[in-house]
Amino acid sequence: MRLDGVIEKLEVNRSTLAGSNFVDVNLSGASFDDVNMSGWTAKNVNLAGFSVEDANISGARITDVNLSGARLSKVNLMGVSIEGCLIEGARVDGVLISELQAAYHAAQEAK
């Protein structure tokens, strides 16, 4: 099935869209509730201002993403690997990550 053009306020209930592709689609203002998006891939997507609550994104790969100004609260970060990221001004429980890194490196050098 193919949809082209302007469709406002489309409501999709109890449907399977597995394997679907969305290209050059405007979903601003859309909401998703009780949706299985496992294996979902997003490329060149504007998610500015989006909100995610009570979600399972375990095993997710997040690469080349702008999270500036994002707020993570009550998030399970067990086993998370953060590599090659800009961390200027980033905080964990109010403490600058750069200060945590500096304290860690100082402790390592003191050994």
Side-chain angles (χ1 to χ4, degrees):
M1 179 175 164
R2 184 179 178 102
L3 293 176
D4 286 310
V6 177
I7 300 169
E8 293 189 27
K9 296 186 180 180
L10 175 66
E11 188 171 317
V12 180
N13 294 301
R14 293 175 295 284
S15 299
T16 298
L17 298 174
S20 296
N21 291 311
F22 297 87
V23 178
D24 196 18
V25 175
N26 181 349
L27 290 173
S28 60
S31 66
F32 299 88
D33 185 12
D34 195 20
V35 176
N36 179 353
M37 296 178 84
S38 60
W40 179 62
T41 300
K43 183 177 179 185
N44 298 321
V45 176
N46 180 354
L47 296 174
F50 88 114
S51 175
V52 176
E53 279 183 48
D54 195 21
N56 178 358
I57 60 170
S58 58
R61 258 187 90 215
I62 301 172
T63 306
D64 293 326
V65 173
N66 180 352
L67 290 175
S68 59
R71 184 167 189 258
L72 305 177
S73 178
K74 299 178 186 172
V75 175
N76 179 347
L77 295 175
M78 289 177 56
V80 169
S81 175
I82 300 173
E83 302 167 2
C85 297
L86 297 174
I87 59 163
E88 291 178 34
R91 297 175 181 272
V92 174
D93 289 332
V95 180
L96 286 169
I97 292 176
S98 56
E99 290 177 0
L100 295 171
Q101 284 182 315
Y104 171 78
H105 291 301
Q108 292 300 308
E109 290 175 7
K111 288 184 178 181

